[in-house]
Amino acid sequence: MTENTSNRVQAKLGSGLDPKSEPSDILAGKDLTGKVAVVTGGYSGIGLETTRALAAAGAKVYVPVRNLDKAAETLATIKRGEVIPLPMDLGDFASIRRFVAEMLENESQIDLLINNAGIMACPEARIKGGWESQFGVNHLGHFVLTKGLLPALLAADSPRVVSLSSIGHRRGGVNFEDINFEKTPYEKWTAYAQAKTANALFALGLDMKYADQGLRAFSVHPGGIMTPLQRHLQNEEMIALGWLDENGNLSELAAALFKSTTQGCTTTLWAATSDMLDGKGGLYCEDCDVAELADEDTPRYFGVAQWAVDPDLAVKLWELSESATA
């Protein structure tokens, strides 16, 4: 990998956009006709809104799905643009490689890859190959997908890859000595933090490796949004986290900070299309701008931890991921 830190400075660019911007604010005046995009998880939550916005702007959008029938129902709500669902399971590397083969047969160039899908704070489980499921699905599955699609990405003009991370990464980094919780008891939030840190490090590593070939990558914290991602959380836990009040409604804090599903896709869209990011890459973004490095005084809901944007750790993760998915 090569490293040029001059275009990877974690500092706000001053986009002037509201953190709760809508997709129309981000894509105003942008014509994506002729562009090809892939959006994982693009049939639910903020992924569905990402698909909807890209398709409305003219892009052809492919959506990998585990359940074609379920996806067809939600994707039918998209009335503008061309959206094509294809089968794929992020927890099954063979399934991902079949999807990749079909994509490369269909398209010689891919302009945008949005690695949006993910699972959060779920009970302990393993994907095929024995990897802890949050690390396996959120990171390794997207690693296999992205590497497989590289021939088409590198054939495009100014391709971008957006990897969805989370503010949850600030709970902790990647435990390279015990990724699968074989030495320590499984803790779902620690596992989620590890996976979301991996998502940010992967974007950095990808950018370091391929920026000189024109591909730029970014990681994104979309914001707090109530979506199916919370399906493993009981109300009592969300009350304890401060997201809900005792009546099961959004707390005052959550009401101030949380975004709608449409607002939740806007930082993704900004990272994928903003001219302000031309010549830049490997950056962690939030609230439609580049995030600042967090320190001990940074509020818990903002900023990026140093361990999520560390070039040495990005290289270490890349090497581990190559071995894990060989």
Side-chain angles (χ1 to χ4, degrees):
M1 293 184 183
T2 59
E3 172 65 351
N4 178 356
T5 58
S6 63
N7 61 11
R8 299 190 182 96
V9 177
Q10 284 294 153
K12 291 185 181 299
L13 296 179
S15 69
L17 293 164
D18 190 293
K20 293 187 177 182
S21 295
E22 294 289 342
S24 58
D25 300 320
I26 306 300
L27 296 181
K30 293 192 179 294
D31 182 3
L32 301 182
T33 301
K35 302 291 186 182
V36 175
V38 176
V39 182
T40 69
Y43 60 98
S44 176
I46 63 173
L48 175 62
E49 299 308 327
T50 302
T51 300
R52 191 189 313 278
L54 291 174
K60 180 195 294 186
V61 186
Y62 287 87
V63 181
V65 301
R66 282 191 301 168
N67 185 319
L68 284 168
D69 291 336
K70 178 181 177 181
E73 182 179 344
T74 56
L75 292 175
T77 66
I78 298 176
K79 304 302 183 184
R80 297 173 58 194
E82 184 176 5
V83 178
I84 305 167
L86 293 175
M88 190 189 84
D89 181 351
L90 275 171
D92 182 341
F93 299 161
S95 167
I96 298 169
R97 290 179 174 121
R98 288 192 294 271
F99 172 85
V100 165
E102 189 166 1
M103 278 299 307
L104 296 182
E105 185 176 338
N106 290 347
E107 302 291 345
S108 60
Q109 297 182 1
I110 296 172
D111 301 276
L112 299 173
L113 171 57
I114 313 295
N115 289 328
N116 166 87
I119 54 177
M120 180 180 76
C122 53
E124 185 173 12
R126 295 286 186 269
I127 66 167
K128 292 182 180 180
W131 292 92
E132 187 276 320
S133 63
Q134 295 192 71
F135 185 81
V137 170
N138 294 350
H139 169 60
L140 289 177
H142 282 121
F143 182 86
V144 173
L145 175 66
T146 305
K147 277 203 68 186
L149 294 178
L150 275 173
L153 285 164
L154 294 175
D157 180 28
S158 302
R160 289 190 189 180
V161 175
V162 179
S163 175
L164 265 75
S165 181
S166 164
I167 198 62
H169 83 274
R170 287 191 56 187
R171 288 174 175 260
V174 177
N175 183 354
F176 288 96
E177 306 306 316
D178 192 24
I179 284 175
N180 287 318
F181 294 86
E182 295 165 335
K183 302 173 186 176
T184 54
Y186 176 77
E187 202 288 308
K188 64 184 183 181
W189 287 111
T190 302
Y192 183 65
Q194 173 173 255
K196 294 291 101 180
T197 293
N199 291 148
L201 288 174
F202 172 52
L204 174 57
L206 186 67
D207 195 84
M208 290 165 59
K209 197 171 181 69
Y210 294 103
D212 62 351
Q213 297 182 55
L215 185 153
R216 305 315 302 253
F218 303 89
S219 58
V220 161
H221 167 45
I225 309 108
M226 285 297 185
T227 72
L229 190 65
Q230 284 91 356
R231 61 186 174 275
H232 296 293
L233 303 182
Q234 301 297 317
N235 273 9
E236 292 78 9
E237 185 169 7
M238 289 191 278
I239 291 171
L241 287 167
W243 299 352
L244 301 181
D245 62 24
E246 293 183 355
N247 297 317
N249 301 313
L250 277 185
S251 67
E252 289 186 14
L253 175 65
L257 292 178
F258 276 29
K259 303 177 182 181
S260 67
T261 50
T262 55
Q263 294 164 352
C265 77
T266 54
T267 303
T268 296
L269 295 172
W270 183 78
T273 66
S274 175
D275 296 340
M276 294 185 74
L277 293 171
D278 287 350
K280 301 181 184 299
L283 298 166
Y284 174 101
C285 304
E286 66 182 9
D287 288 343
C288 304
D289 206 334
V290 175
E292 296 181 328
L293 273 177
D295 58 29
E296 63 274 11
D297 297 321
T298 304
R300 59 181 289 198
Y301 295 109
F302 301 97
V304 58
Q306 179 61 51
W307 59 71
V309 289
D310 184 311
D312 293 334
L313 293 179
V315 172
K316 188 173 184 177
L317 178 67
W318 190 283
E319 293 172 347
L320 179 147
S321 304
E322 288 271 23
S323 176
T325 60

